[in-house]
Structure formats: structure tokens, C-alpha cells
Amino acid sequence: MINILYIKIGPVCIKINSQYPLTIDPRYQHFFIDDISEENDIIDCDVKVTDDFSVVQGNLIYQNGERMIFDYQGKETRIHFFNQNPYGIYREIDDNHFSIEVTSNIINILFLEMFALEKYLLKKGGLILHSSFIEWHNQGIVFTAPSGTGKSTQASLWQKYEHAKIINSDRSILYFNKNNILMSCGLPFCGSSNINLNKEFPLKAIVFLSQADYNEAEYINISFASKKLFKESSINKWNIKSIDDSLNIIEKITKHTKFISLKCMINQEAVNILKDLIIK
Amino acid sequence: MRTNKNFILRGIADEYMLVPINEAAQEFNGILHLTETASFIWKMVDQCETITDIVKKSYRRI
């Protein structure tokens, strides 16, 4: 018997086929859907739960502490590691089909990390941005900056003083919907915050944060914004086409939203000066 | 003379960027903004034998 589940993350819908019963970690349950009548281009994922991985072939093209990536006849294979131990293998079968070998039958964050979401998102015209994402008056605002700058702190200030809702404290998806509206969208990956609402809103502004001993908000030029977006986006930098496609999306994003630099402290004034610029 | 093949020149919204690929992308997370003149020189590097050639082409362009 084949067990089938559907997960929808932003514009990407994945059909998970498994011969083994899978258990969904409740923290990610809200990304699973039953009704797929509206979905196009569903990606197929075949899951095999095993401790005995099959042999990996191909040339090693990238590695870091979390994964090794191989190219075999133009298709990617990824070995995923946790605490230096391999826990799963992702294999591309064709453009809309991949397989996973994994040691656990629990669909948790490690399991979802294997989905190469950024790759399938790119085909839908989207990117994953390292950012804190809030909803304010039915629009999305994303705060992006290197780790430790205070993205989630500013998001919390907006929650406190402007009753904004935090959708995700660590990442957001930016993509263009069928009406060519730039959307900000929640996803399961949320760092250590555990805030990962499955919501999406038209994007109002991208805010580039930096710490300061004063508060200052100003619009920034496209060149600066492009560089920052490239740096904070999940891009497969071992793949030239992926880089090129990502830059095309970044260029399109630069034409569809406001970019603001916020040099800030942790106080209400930081919220107010940003708000003033956003609603101007 | 040859450009470093670990970087590609790319235009974004009328701006020129040098984007790291391959090994460079693993060592450097970011992109470099080039002025119009710098991007011209980058394009000329693969076509010229010497720096003098590039300078001459730059003069002609001005």
C-alpha cells in the first residue's frame, strides 16, 4: 500500500509517496493539504525509509557541514548530514520528480530540509530570503540582515507596538503569484523560534537592518538592494543556471517593492520612523 | 589576459555586478558592484593581450 501526503509550501506543492507509514511532526502539520484541485505542476517525491542507503554516484560539486552535492549525468544527488552523520539522500529523477532515502519516518525539519525547496521554488519564480516576516494591515513586511543583527527583535517590536503578526522569525518566501503580485509567504523552516505560520500576503517592503545607536530609515538604491538580497537568499551557488535564474527574480523584485535601510535601536521610535516611511 | 572564470559579469537594472560562481561562491557570499568603466575593463580583459591594449580601447571609448 502506498501512503500519499501532499505538502504545500508557498507556490510549490509536493506529493509524497511512501510505502512506509509516515508521521507528521505537529509543528509542520499546517503545511499539509488534502484538496489539490487548485494545484498545478505537483512535484513527486518517493520516500524510502531505510538505514541502508544506496550507492551515490557522480562528481562532488559542493559540500559544507550539512550536505554533500553530487552531479550525476546532469542530475543532483544530495547527502544530508546531522551532527556529521548522514541521515538522508535526495536524488533528482527528472524536473518534477525526486526520491528520498531517509533513516526516520517522521516528517520533521530535517526531513523537509531534504526537499530542495529552493530549487523547485526557483522554477515558480520564487526565492527563500533569510528574514523575519510580519503581517501588518494585511501586507507583508520582511526584515533581512545577517544572523544576530536583530531581525526577530524588530519583528517583536512591531508586534508589541503595531499589533503586527509574526509569520516567520527566520525565513520567508518571496514569489510572484498568478496575477504577477509579489507575495511574501510563510514556510516551515523557522530557526529556533518555532513561529512558522502558513500565511501569505502582498509584500509591502523589504527592510535591510543594521544596528546603530540612533534610528534612521531611508530608501536605498537597487544596486545596494540587489547585493543584499543575493547575500541573504538561499541560492544554489554551485549551479550557474540557478544563480542566473535567482538574479532574474531579484531584478524583478527590485521593480515591485520598496527597499528601506533601517539603522536602529531596540525601541518604539525604530518602529515609528520605519512606519512613517512605509506609509509615505 | 583572462578574467577569473569563478566570476561572471551580470547586469541588474542597469547596474553591473560581478557574481561569484564555483569555488569563489563557496568562499565569498555576496556580489560586487562595478562601475560602468570597471565593467568595460572586465569585458576587455579577455579580448586584450596587455594592459596597454585595454587603456587604448578605453581611450577610444571616451
Side-chain angles (χ1 to χ4, degrees):
Chain A
M1 180 187 157
I2 300 286
N3 299 277
I4 295 175
L5 296 166
Y6 292 94
I7 184 168
K8 182 147 196 265
I9 305 173
V12 176
C13 183
I14 297 171
K15 179 185 180 190
I16 301 169
N17 312 292
S18 173
Q19 292 182 335
Y20 315 87
L22 299 172
T23 303
I24 302 170
D25 183 324
R27 288 173 292 182
Y28 312 108
Q29 181 75 53
H30 50 295
F31 286 91
F32 285 81
I33 58 172
D34 296 319
D35 180 9
I36 55 161
S37 57
E38 301 279 309
E39 302 304 324
N40 298 313
D41 307 323
I42 296 175
I43 311 291
D44 263 299
C45 165
D46 303 330
V47 174
K48 182 180 180 185
V49 179
T50 178
D51 286 321
D52 187 18
F53 295 139
S54 56
V55 174
V56 171
Q57 294 176 291
N59 299 318
L60 179 65
I61 52 174
Y62 179 84
Q63 66 176 324
N64 60 20
E66 295 169 350
R67 55 192 171 170
M68 296 173 79
I69 297 174
F70 298 83
D71 175 77
Y72 181 65
Q73 298 181 340
K75 305 286 182 208
E76 264 185 23
T77 301
R78 303 179 175 192
I79 306 176
H80 288 260
F81 295 85
F82 182 69
N83 285 342
Q84 299 184 326
N85 296 313
Y87 70 86
I89 296 178
Y90 159 97
R91 276 192 181 82
E92 260 175 40
I93 296 170
D94 61 39
D95 284 352
N96 288 315
H97 192 182
F98 65 91
S99 70
I100 278 175
E101 292 175 37
V102 62
T103 52
S104 166
N105 72 331
I106 299 170
I107 301 182
N108 56 16
I109 209 67
L110 291 177
F111 194 108
L112 295 174
E113 285 278 7
M114 298 175 63
F115 280 14
L117 177 63
E118 75 289 344
K119 203 176 175 96
Y120 298 102
L121 198 52
L122 202 55
K123 291 179 186 171
K124 295 273 189 177
L127 286 174
I128 298 172
L129 184 66
H130 184 215
S131 56
S132 276
F133 164 29
I134 62 169
E135 175 268 327
W136 182 67
H137 293 181
N138 285 317
Q139 292 186 303
I141 299 172
V142 297
F143 297 93
T144 183
S147 297
T149 305
K151 296 183 294 295
S152 39
T153 303
Q154 287 299 316
S156 299
L157 288 173
W158 274 74
Q159 185 179 43
K160 181 177 178 182
Y161 294 117
E162 282 296 320
H163 309 294
K165 194 171 192 66
I166 299 173
I167 307 299
N168 192 306
S169 278
D170 192 57
R171 293 190 226 183
S172 58
I173 289 172
L174 306 182
Y175 82 100
F176 290 87
N177 70 10
K178 289 170 188 165
N179 299 318
N180 208 31
I181 294 169
L182 177 57
M183 305 297 290
S184 42
C185 180
L187 70 172
F189 314 107
C190 57
S192 56
S193 72
N194 284 333
I195 303 173
N196 64 354
L197 303 184
N198 187 8
K199 301 271 186 189
E200 67 173 42
F201 300 94
L203 183 64
K204 182 73 174 171
I206 298 176
V207 181
F208 300 97
L209 282 183
S210 56
Q211 295 176 355
D213 53 7
Y214 55 91
N215 291 310
E216 181 183 272
E218 59 184 356
Y219 290 119
I220 55 171
N221 65 38
I222 288 174
S223 168
F224 183 82
S226 303
K227 283 196 281 188
K228 292 282 188 185
L229 281 180
F230 184 84
K231 192 171 181 185
E232 297 301 333
S233 298
S234 297
I235 297 172
N236 291 172
K237 290 176 182 161
W238 55 89
N239 182 316
I240 293 175
K241 185 173 186 315
S242 169
I243 291 173
D244 207 42
D245 290 346
S246 301
L247 288 169
N248 285 337
I249 295 170
I250 286 173
E251 184 172 20
K252 192 174 175 186
I253 289 172
T254 62
K255 294 170 182 166
H256 281 80
T257 193
K258 294 177 178 177
F259 295 102
I260 296 171
S261 161
L262 179 65
K263 296 170 183 164
C264 60
M265 302 165 70
I266 305 171
N267 58 23
Q268 188 174 6
E269 189 194 46
V271 175
N272 289 339
I273 65 155
L274 177 59
K275 184 177 75 174
D276 289 347
L277 196 60
I278 285 175
I279 61 179
K280 205 182 250 181
Chain B
M1 295 172 68
R2 281 187 190 165
T3 51
N4 184 335
K5 298 307 174 198
N6 282 321
F7 288 85
I8 53 171
L9 182 66
R10 171 68 204 251
I12 298 179
D14 301 327
E15 303 277 354
Y16 292 97
M17 313 278 176
L18 268 188
V19 183
I21 58 173
N22 304 325
E23 293 92 0
Q26 294 189 39
E27 291 167 10
F28 173 57
N29 179 22
I31 49 181
L32 299 166
H33 176 231
L34 296 188
T35 62
E36 197 179 342
T37 303
S39 68
F40 176 79
I41 293 171
W42 181 270
K43 287 176 198 167
M44 289 302 107
V45 165
D46 285 324
Q47 300 175 25
C48 295
E49 292 297 320
T50 65
I51 292 174
T52 308
D53 292 342
I54 295 176
V55 172
K56 283 179 184 169
K57 284 189 185 272
S58 301
Y59 268 122
R60 272 184 225 134
R61 181 168 164 267
I62 294 165

